[in-house]
Amino acid sequence: MKKIVTRMWHGRVKKDDALNYKKYVEETGLKNYREIKGNLSAKILLRYEDEICHILTVTEWDSYESIKKFAGEDFQKARYYPEDEKYLLDFEEFVTHYETYIEES
């Protein structure tokens, strides 16, 4: 099995802001992820709960070293962008990393 690293960030926005924020994340975070050598994939997940939308970015990387090229040496801290303050209801300090094992065909 091949080992990679999955990085997950979670944010919450108002339901009415969800699609605008998703677009903003596509233009900032996802774009930046994809520019880093070692990034294998990047996606956004949305889950609506009453008037709140939970947003996850899920990225896959070939190594922790590649993640550091995006996030810096303190790679477990979340990275935010200037307009995040316009949308996010709170700012989680850390992201979550998982060692992920893939069965290759």
Side-chain angles (χ1 to χ4, degrees), residues 6-103:
T6 300
R7 177 183 172 95
M8 296 173 60
W9 169 84
H10 171 259
R12 296 180 326 124
V13 299
K14 293 178 183 174
K15 180 181 176 180
D16 292 343
D17 290 336
L19 295 180
N20 287 332
Y21 186 64
K22 180 185 86 60
K23 184 176 184 215
Y24 177 68
V25 171
E26 289 169 353
E27 295 168 351
T28 56
L30 261 63
K31 179 181 179 289
N32 289 154
Y33 293 142
R34 299 301 293 155
E35 292 172 343
I36 303 294
K37 185 175 190 231
N39 177 263
L40 305 172
S41 73
K43 56 189 151 219
I44 300 174
L45 287 70
L46 303 180
R47 180 174 59 87
Y48 293 93
E49 185 177 75
D50 299 321
E51 294 303 310
I52 301 295
C53 180
H54 294 267
I55 298 180
L56 290 176
T57 60
V58 179
T59 55
E60 294 178 320
W61 302 83
D62 65 359
S63 67
Y64 286 107
E65 289 305 312
S66 293
I67 293 171
K68 288 178 183 179
K69 292 176 192 170
F70 166 75
E73 282 301 311
D74 198 359
F75 68 95
Q76 295 193 48
K77 284 198 167 193
R79 178 176 168 188
Y80 290 100
Y81 292 84
E83 288 191 41
D84 284 335
E85 290 183 18
K86 178 178 172 182
Y87 297 103
L88 290 171
L89 299 175
D90 43 37
F91 289 80
E92 295 183 10
E93 186 174 359
F94 297 101
V95 298
T96 306
H97 294 94
Y98 292 90
E99 291 184 3
T100 307
Y101 295 86
I102 299 173
E103 181 68 36

